[in-house]
Amino acid sequence: MAPVLAAKMPVLKELRAPMDGGRTFRGKRILGANKTWRGLFCGMVAATLAFAAQQYLVVHAGWLDGFTDQADYASLSALLIGPLFAIGVLGGDACKSFIKRRLNVPPGRPWPFFDQVGEIIGAVLVTAPFVSFSWVQYVLVVAIWVVADFLVSALVYMVGWKERPI
Ligand code: CTP
Ligand code: MG
């Protein structure tokens, strides 16, 4: 959500340098105007803060006690995992945009399921060295993400912050 919120914040709104630098590939934009460095930077900051908060809760408040065998929260560095997670999520998201542009889907136009799945695949790939998930857990993580993304989008639309429900 960080890149979406950053795009709405008055101070950050103007910082919209595109990640593809406006360049094209075979006559079409590589990623499109909606994939910005601002989004990646804000994602990195947000993911670092989110991971640090989770780590604090796990280590100091016994949060998810008995459920943390899959990741060693105490020894992981938020400064490594946070930015890496954002690179995975927004890298996966950018790959999805690359495919959308090749298929002539304009930036911002929904492409259901693929819009949701690119970012979680990216996240899963970059964090794989730090977690020990079974295949079933990976399938669950992807499924929960896709469903949660649809639900959050619908909620955000209902409160009027988004023009489309998906
Ligand atoms: N965003 C951004 N930088 C990124 C990713 C997202 O600034 N690297 C912001 C943009 O304002 C974007 C919004 O978050 O419009 C929603 O992201 P997303 O739905 O992934 O992009 P779309 O606008 O749908 O564009 P595309 O068709 O390329 O997916
Ligand atoms: Mg979109």
Side-chain angles (χ1 to χ4, degrees):
M1 289 308 287
V4 180
L5 296 176
K8 299 229 180 274
M9 279 163 69
V11 252
L12 298 171
K13 226 161 137 177
E14 298 310 314
L15 304 171
R16 48 173 170 246
M19 292 166 90
D20 65 8
R23 283 185 284 274
T24 56
F25 172 68
R26 295 190 178 164
K28 294 170 197 160
R29 275 292 285 270
I30 300 176
L31 301 175
N34 290 358
K35 302 290 112 132
T36 65
W37 291 113
R38 171 199 61 210
L40 179 63
F41 178 75
C42 292
M44 282 176 159
V45 172
T48 305
L49 294 176
F51 184 81
Q54 289 181 350
Q55 190 173 43
Y56 180 87
L57 289 173
V58 167
V59 175
H60 298 283
W63 191 58
L64 294 182
D65 239 358
F67 188 67
T68 46
D69 298 348
Q70 286 85 9
D72 181 7
Y73 275 87
S75 69
L76 290 171
S77 157
L79 288 175
L80 168 72
I81 297 296
L84 188 68
F85 198 87
I87 288 170
V89 169
L90 294 162
D93 178 56
C95 290
K96 167 218 68 177
S97 292
F98 178 80
I99 301 170
K100 273 174 101 172
R101 298 302 84 84
R102 309 292 63 80
L103 297 175
N104 291 323
V105 184
R109 176 79 58 82
W111 192 32
F113 182 71
F114 297 97
D115 271 333
Q116 283 69 32
V117 92
E119 45 205 46
I120 188 64
I121 290 177
V124 155
L125 289 178
V126 293
T127 51
F130 307 98
V131 292
S132 49
F133 275 0
S134 66
W135 279 106
V136 177
Q137 285 170 319
Y138 272 123
V139 170
L140 274 175
V141 161
V142 173
I144 289 169
W145 176 275
V146 170
V147 172
D149 193 300
F150 280 121
L151 291 179
V152 169
S153 282
L155 265 176
V156 174
Y157 168 74
M158 268 149 53
V159 294
W161 293 346
K162 212 167 163 268
E163 283 145 35
R164 297 187 181 94
I166 49 169

